[in-house]
Amino acid sequence: ATSPINRNEDCDNAQKRLQYLLCQFVEVISSTFSAPVTLFLDDLQWADAASIEAVNHLLIAASISHDKRFFFLGCCRKGDIDEGHPVRKLLKNVER
C-alpha cells in the first residue's frame, strides 16, 4: 500500500507536471499563430488553490517569455473573494 506521504508527493509531482504542460501548450500555440493567446476564466470564486497556482505559473512563464503574446482575463463575483481566497494571492503576485 502507498503511504499518505507518497500520495501527497505524487499529487505535488502531478500538479507540477500539469503546470509545466500548460505552459508548454500556451508557448506552442502562441508561437504557431500571429494572434495572442487569450485565456478567459469566469467564476474564479469557485477556483481551488491548485487551479489558481496553475494560472499563476502561466502568468509567470508569459512574463519571462521573449514572446509576450499571452493575455489572461479572470472574472469573479464581487464580494465572493475574501482575504484568504487563492485569487487574492494571484492578484498580489500580478501586482508585483
Side-chain angles (χ1 to χ4, degrees):
T2 306
S3 73
I5 293 172
N6 288 342
R7 280 190 223 136
N8 288 339
E9 288 175 10
D10 289 344
C11 287
D12 288 343
N13 289 335
Q15 287 175 351
K16 288 177 184 173
R17 283 192 307 270
L18 178 61
Q19 291 167 357
Y20 172 77
L21 290 172
L22 283 171
C23 291
Q24 292 299 303
F25 175 74
V26 169
E27 185 176 323
V28 167
I29 296 297
S30 69
S31 67
T32 303
F33 299 101
S34 60
V37 174
T38 302
L39 174 62
F40 171 74
L41 296 177
D42 196 10
D43 292 328
L44 285 176
Q45 71 272 10
W46 300 113
D48 64 348
S51 299
I52 296 299
E53 189 63 28
V55 170
N56 191 44
H57 277 275
L58 282 172
L59 294 174
I60 291 168
S63 71
I64 61 176
S65 172
H66 298 292
D67 187 13
K68 310 263 188 213
R69 297 186 308 164
F70 178 72
F71 181 73
F72 172 74
L73 177 64
C75 293
C76 62
R77 281 190 242 149
K78 185 178 180 180
D80 282 354
I81 304 293
D82 62 16
E83 286 302 315
H85 197 282
V87 170
R88 291 285 183 183
K89 180 182 174 187
L90 178 67
L91 291 172
K92 289 176 185 172
N93 289 342
V94 169
E95 289 172 354
R96 289 187 223 161

